[in-house]
């Protein structure tokens, strides 16, 4: 599996990001973000990576990465792409 960024994937991520931002401002969490947090943690453990290692690989602080796993924040598009590449998955799979 290759994390190829298609136009459809880009629109999907940007749309999800926009919905998340709007819903979070209202205090509502989307199911996809719960899935993202859960999937990031499961993949990290499956690969036996530490949070610090993943944070270093994608270029964020450990605290920022922890927020992704806890569902308190979502990765920017460039970091989202790096996460998909790190785990060799399609970007959509991170949200399923």
């Amino acid at each position: 599996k290759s994390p190829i960024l298609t136009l459809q994937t880009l629109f999907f991520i940007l749309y999800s990001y926009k919905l998340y931002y709007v819903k979070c401002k209202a205090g509502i969490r989307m199911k996809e973000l719960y899935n993202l947090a859960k999937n990031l943690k499961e993949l990290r453990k499956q690969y036996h990576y530490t949070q610090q290692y993943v944070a270093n690989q994608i270029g964020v602080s450990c605290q920022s990465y922890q927020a992704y796993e806890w569902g308190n924040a979502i990765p920017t598009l460039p970091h989202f792409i790096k996460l998909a590449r790190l785990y060799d998955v399609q970007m959509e799979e991170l949200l399923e």
Side-chain angles (χ1 to χ4, degrees):
K1 299 176 186 176
S2 175
I4 297 173
L5 180 63
T6 63
L7 190 56
Q8 182 181 6
T9 301
L10 178 60
F11 283 132
F12 176 75
I13 292 168
L14 292 176
Y15 179 73
S16 296
Y17 186 84
K18 181 179 178 184
L19 279 179
Y20 174 75
Y21 179 77
V22 170
K23 300 248 181 207
C24 280
K25 288 297 181 185
I28 301 169
R29 297 266 167 111
M30 289 176 44
K31 180 182 178 189
E32 288 82 7
L33 287 186
Y34 170 78
N35 290 343
L36 174 62
K38 180 178 63 99
N39 290 340
L40 288 176
K41 187 172 185 174
E42 286 176 2
L43 283 166
R44 180 178 58 78
K45 290 186 174 206
Q46 178 183 335
Y47 279 74
H48 304 287
Y49 293 158
T50 64
Q51 289 178 332
Q52 185 65 58
Y53 177 79
V54 175
N56 290 342
Q57 293 302 303
I58 66 170
V60 298
S61 69
C62 189
Q63 291 81 6
S64 292
Y65 180 75
Q66 286 172 341
Y68 302 159
E69 281 195 7
W70 294 339
N72 295 331
I74 60 170
T76 62
L77 184 57
H79 295 135
F80 200 88
I81 292 168
K82 289 178 183 179
L83 284 164
R85 287 184 179 152
L86 179 66
Y87 294 121
D88 192 28
V89 297
Q90 297 290 325
M91 290 183 284
E92 292 93 340
E93 292 178 66
L94 291 174
L95 298 173
E96 294 177 345

